Amino acid sequence: NRHGQSSQSFPKRSYDIDFNPDHHFRYEPDKERVDDINLLTTYPDKARMRNLLSYGTYRDAGSPYHYVVPVRVQTNGGFFGDWHIVENGDADFLKRIGRDPRGALYKMYNTFTAAGHATPGTRNAEKKTRKDEGGQDLLALFNGVSGIGTNRFTYVWDNINIAGSINTMTARTLTGDLDCCHKNYYFYRDTEGTGEWEAM
């Protein structure tokens, strides 16, 4: 499937690639196989380093990060271009970064400034794990950080991994992340453990 929004008009596009259930993909010889990857174009990135440098900064900041593998793409027996294999955000991602893959992971496509932004199944929030549940936990997060029916200060201290979230926000600032904070970020909840939320 095609990946992304702005890259849809590029002559060399990005793609989501899902592998057959019995033939998962090994992106590096010493890593576990994965069921899907994102193949991201470097077309707008003339240095071809944006993904490598950005996710490397997240890694070095102690923040969750996606692995990136630069690849050469051949079509019809000839060179077509440079792409980056970039990890997909899912249970495998959570497992690799040391988070419980049974936790709730949401990919966000909004500013999270209205209750409607906490509705999974829309283009507001894509539920990546625990898909058999609704989004009541995400709505509770919105209400808590908005101070709706709660003491916001107490809610934040009791329900958010503050140190982890600060690491991520700092890395976003250092990388000049233009997607922040209206799309392409995650909320993760350690649902069966601490119950705390973390922005990624």
Side-chain angles (χ1 to χ4, degrees), residues 80-145:
F80 185 61
D82 298 309
W83 266 258
H84 288 160
I85 292 173
V86 177
E87 182 175 27
N88 191 36
D90 57 15
D92 288 337
F93 161 65
L94 293 173
K95 183 178 176 184
R96 187 190 61 77
I97 64 171
R99 303 303 191 275
D100 184 351
R102 297 168 301 180
L105 181 67
Y106 294 87
K107 185 170 183 186
M108 305 301 295
Y109 299 95
N110 61 58
T111 56
F112 205 60
T113 54
H117 292 172
T119 306
T122 67
R123 287 304 292 167
N124 285 321
E126 180 183 0
K127 198 154 193 187
K128 301 296 233 170
T129 60
R130 302 180 77 94
K131 295 180 182 180
D132 56 331
E133 299 175 346
Q136 299 85 356
D137 55 351
L138 190 61
L139 181 59
L141 172 65
F142 174 80
N143 289 337
V145 298

Side-chain angles (χ1 to χ4, degrees), residues 30-48:
D30 61 336
K31 304 298 183 187
E32 290 199 27
R33 293 181 180 271
V34 296
D35 60 348
D36 53 8
I37 59 169
N38 299 318
L39 190 63
L40 301 186
T41 183
T42 61
Y43 176 78
D45 175 18
K46 300 314 176 198
R48 296 175 175 87

